[in-house]
Amino acid sequence: MTKNIVSKLYPYVIGLKVTKCPCANDVALLGFLLNSTLDGVYIGLSSSGFWNYDDTTWYNLTDMIYSRVGEEHRELSIVDMVLTNHFLVILTSLGLFISGDLRYPSSPALTFSRTDFCGFERVDYVKGKLWYNERCFANREHVEVDYVTITFERNRTLSEASSCFYSNEPFLEWLPCLPLILHGRKVGLLTVITFLIDQDQSCGVYLLSNQKEISVAIHILRNNKPRLKLKYPSFTFPSSFSSPIGMTFHPRSHFLYAYGNQVWLSMDGGHTFELLADFHDDIIKNTYHSFYTSDIIFVAQSGKVYLTKAGLERYTEIGSITDKIFTLYYDHMGFIHKLTPDHFEAGRPLATFRNSKGIFGQVPDMGFETALALQYITLNEMIFYAYVPENEPENSRYTKQFNNIHLGKVIHSRKTGTAYIRKILKHDILKGFLSSVIAEMTDPFGVEDVSESSCLSSSLSISQDGNFYKLTLQMQTPGVTSSFQDSDVEKTVVIPGYSSFLITRIVDANNALAIATMPGRVPNGMTFVKDSWFLYNFGQRNGRMWTIYERPCNYWFQQHDDSLSLSVLKYIDLGKSQSLKVKVIPNTKGIRTFETSLLKVIVGNPNLLEVEAEGSFDDTDSYLMKISVSSKTLHQGSTSLAFIVWGASTDCFVTTFVPTLKSSCSYLKSIHHIPSQYIPLEDWISGVHEDSQGFNMIKTLPINYRPPSNMGIAIPLTDNFYHADPSKPIPRNLFHKSKKSGKFKQCANKSTREECNCTNDQKFSHAVAFSDCREKVPRFKFPVTQYPISLEIHSEDGHTPVETPYLVTVMEVNRRENWELTHTVPENVKKLKDHLEPILRAPVYNPSGLNLSIRGSELFHFRVSVIPGVTFCNLVEEFQIYVDEVPLPFPGHPLIAIASAVILGGLIFLTFMLQIHNIHPWDKCRNLVKRSKWKL
């Protein structure tokens, strides 16, 4: 679609949906949600993260969708869509459509299949939602499965299986989310708001609603289906969480967020939740996540935008969006983009915004309209109390209180001074103050002087007056004007060592009423001379004198390895371990660093791996943590391991580091045979490599060569051809058994060797799968005795020799004999050998000191395999040896056979001739014997 055609769609667009590739977030799709006056499915594809509108390629899938549902249907539009690792799932107003496998397209145009949900019509589909737990399966294990859920905003009827369905790829069979019977509860009363699959712990996580409560239930998965058994008791939210919208996992992590009029965070996959934010009458409608920077954005119904970091128990307001139609998108580098129908606006990582104007406007002041009362605890530590007037309506009192958004922020005075908020406190019995914060001063606050408040020229006495305290001025210097003024209302009287007082009303020039911050520390009846008491102005009568903003980044995160990536994948094989080191460097000028761990470590599935953590401070107050991870069981799987700098500001670029750990075989791990003599690649290409005696150690195999069998050199029985060329005759093909054996692999159904398309890697490969391409093999003189079979394991950690417990089996792939192996068998190896050989039905060898002797001739092709149970990897290596210059054997056996045959044949011929001539030599001998007896 051209840009002009796309621009004609803008008047009909009422919403946008964006989805991105789980492994490459710069590859993303943008869909137009249309009103009822225009039909169509229009999707834009970006391979560069929507940086430039003109780089987006647009596709019209309308005809393809109509080919599945029929032209008689109308009002077609996208409702939602999800791009999984291998499939595109599109929810439209006319049904759910699944693409073919994106890795193996069957045609140039993308094709879709339609999934039917019995009883659901267009009015249901337009209110449907898709839910997906984003995980990258680039090097996919058999235990890793993609799931997608669809929910409909209505209760199911008696004829319908559910109003929530889920499926795993290839998304052909969609099953009800809820088990048939849910522990005796009436399933009909339950509404599934969201259903997600916890990949770490293989569980189904439900956000459920009924007429009385909102809860989260976790059910164990068996064979990709939720069982009736709950993994943990259900978690029930308080009644204040009255408008739930959804639930989502942060990508590739175990952090679960439930959102609506409140946001709740679970670090254990839904077992428990902590309140992160309460928006009261406002509702979070959408969340957007960046795996790279751990950013999470919440967009409220009012247009306000909030930011948190994955795993942090604090958040901040970063601005608002006034666009009527928009969506947000994080690219692969953590840059935020605002997408609208006609243009894209790219921002920077939110950690670099500070107070500069970004795509969300000017960073807002997070203060609220009330006065603060200052109470010093120490010289650098203080409490700020938020004043709530007695006549404040109950339903708006929360607007004059500190809440979770203020944790970790900085209070700024319009005069001078800043303080860092460490803790939020709530009060039930303290009159006039329902909340407060404990803060640490980073810059001293300015006090009022006599020119601003003339009352400071007098002494001050304190006395109780009902529920208030009367502050009375006493003239200390004759002729000096000193009185309370209306501008002193909402100022704080600070008396070192005693309670502070917030002035609420001026009675007359010498008297004022105030409320105490610490009633138990009121100096009732005491008088304080001037300069022993002070006034601070944190009021709002003449404009609010204080503001709250996000704290600048206070910690730097450093990885102690060569990797600079925040997307780390570690494999832990059986019996192996991995270590991770991270350092947190404080950037907290003027603030104390407590001797407590600066990092919180969260393991997604603690039952999968053994994780040990050790943390310590160095001389520069930096915190170093070392994590050791080792295999625990024979169970394969993956888990996230989160490092959270729990005290970090959301202004930091990195606060959470989430490597992925797999109890599995690394795709980089392999076993290799190390030849006894190295042959350079250029010699392999030329086919000549002579040893010190001038013997060429490379053998170029004849075309269509097959090794001999046990029946003789001229009777090959193997199915493997070497140096195959279908256009050339096949040697050694005279006998019937030889004609029946032998099958081309790479050259099957080809007419020439060029058509076999053998690559150089295949030509030099020892694998039997590429024997058609193999032309040259190592050549040895007869006899081969005590040839050392040296094996190494190559992985991302380097090269290591194969040793116990990595025992091996060895076989000759062409079923040849005339070879034998010798090895050392220590006592521990002997026990393993005796145990494994009956199970594997093959000899088991110790790879240390393994030697090969060959008594036959020509090509021997060996396969070495590591026994199962000592590694998750299928470690198999093959190598070939061509034995040449075999001396002729002594001809004694053939000569004896020939002589015996001649003698036997002569005897048979002689007997035959005597019978023909009727000569009976036996009778003559008998007569001769009788005559001799008579003579005697």
Side-chain angles (χ1 to χ4, degrees), residues 401-404 424-428 434-436:
Q401 296 183 40
F402 289 105
N403 55 55
N404 286 359
I424 309 291
L425 302 174
K426 297 292 183 180
H427 309 289
D428 295 327
L434 299 181
S435 64
S436 63

Side-chain angles (χ1 to χ4, degrees), residues 247-302:
M247 185 172 61
T248 182
F249 278 103
H250 184 67
R252 310 189 201 181
S253 79
H254 208 233
F255 303 126
L256 181 63
Y257 291 85
Y259 59 93
N261 65 311
Q262 296 176 340
V263 175
W264 292 76
L265 166 62
S266 173
M267 296 190 186
D268 51 17
H271 182 202
T272 59
F273 283 84
E274 294 292 335
L275 178 64
L276 177 66
D278 189 349
F279 302 102
H280 300 277
D281 297 332
D282 208 357
I283 295 176
I284 299 299
K285 301 298 291 185
N286 290 297
T287 68
Y288 303 91
H289 300 253
S290 168
F291 168 75
Y292 187 76
T293 60
S294 296
D295 284 357
I296 302 174
I297 278 185
F298 301 109
V299 178
Q301 193 170 257
S302 63

Side-chain angles (χ1 to χ4, degrees), residues 192-379:
V192 180
I193 302 172
T194 308
F195 175 63
L196 297 171
I197 301 298
D198 180 354
Q199 302 279 2
D200 282 355
Q201 300 202 21
S202 298
C203 296
V205 185
Y206 297 84
L207 179 60
L208 302 171
S209 172
N210 61 20
Q211 297 174 351
K212 296 181 180 179
E213 61 186 26
I214 308 298
S215 62
V216 168
I218 304 175
H219 287 254
I220 299 172
L221 290 184
R222 289 289 184 271
N223 300 321
N224 298 331
K225 296 180 180 179
R227 302 289 92 186
L228 294 177
K229 185 178 179 180
L230 283 170
K231 186 177 181 68
Y232 307 110
S234 297
F235 179 87
T236 302
F237 295 99
S239 58
S240 58
F241 188 34
S242 57
S243 302
I245 297 298
M247 185 172 61
T248 182
F249 278 103
H250 184 67
R252 310 189 201 181
S253 79
H254 208 233
F255 303 126
L256 181 63
Y257 291 85
Y259 59 93
N261 65 311
Q262 296 176 340
V263 175
W264 292 76
L265 166 62
S266 173
M267 296 190 186
D268 51 17
H271 182 202
T272 59
F273 283 84
E274 294 292 335
L275 178 64
L276 177 66
D278 189 349
F279 302 102
H280 300 277
D281 297 332
D282 208 357
I283 295 176
I284 299 299
K285 301 298 291 185
N286 290 297
T287 68
Y288 303 91
H289 300 253
S290 168
F291 168 75
Y292 187 76
T293 60
S294 296
D295 284 357
I296 302 174
I297 278 185
F298 301 109
V299 178
Q301 193 170 257
S302 63
K304 290 184 178 181
V305 181
Y306 302 91
L307 169 71
T308 186
K309 294 280 191 171
L312 281 191
E313 297 179 20
R314 59 185 63 180
Y315 70 105
T316 187
E317 184 180 351
I318 58 173
S320 61
I321 295 181
T322 58
D323 299 82
K324 184 178 179 181
I325 301 172
F326 74 94
T327 189
L328 299 179
Y329 156 75
Y330 275 105
D331 66 14
H332 61 301
M333 294 300 292
F335 289 86
I336 186 72
H337 301 254
K338 182 174 68 174
L339 312 181
T340 60
D342 58 347
H343 74 280
F344 302 152
E345 189 175 348
R348 293 167 289 173
L350 293 179
T352 66
F353 276 137
R354 293 287 181 91
N355 291 329
S356 62
K357 186 175 177 64
I359 60 176
F360 304 119
Q362 194 71 26
V363 176
D365 169 20
M366 286 172 277
F368 43 96
E369 300 306 320
T370 193
L372 300 183
L374 172 63
Q375 173 71 59
Y376 276 95
I377 303 174
T378 66
L379 287 176

Side-chain angles (χ1 to χ4, degrees), residues 105 120 133 183 189 231 280 312 316 319 330 382 405 513 597 629 672 698 773 858:
F120 292 89
N133 183 5
H183 292 280
L189 299 178
K231 186 177 181 68
H280 300 277
L312 281 191
T316 187
Y330 275 105
M382 59 197 65
I405 197 173
L513 294 180
S597 174
V629 185
H672 294 269
I698 298 177
C773 300
E858 297 197 13

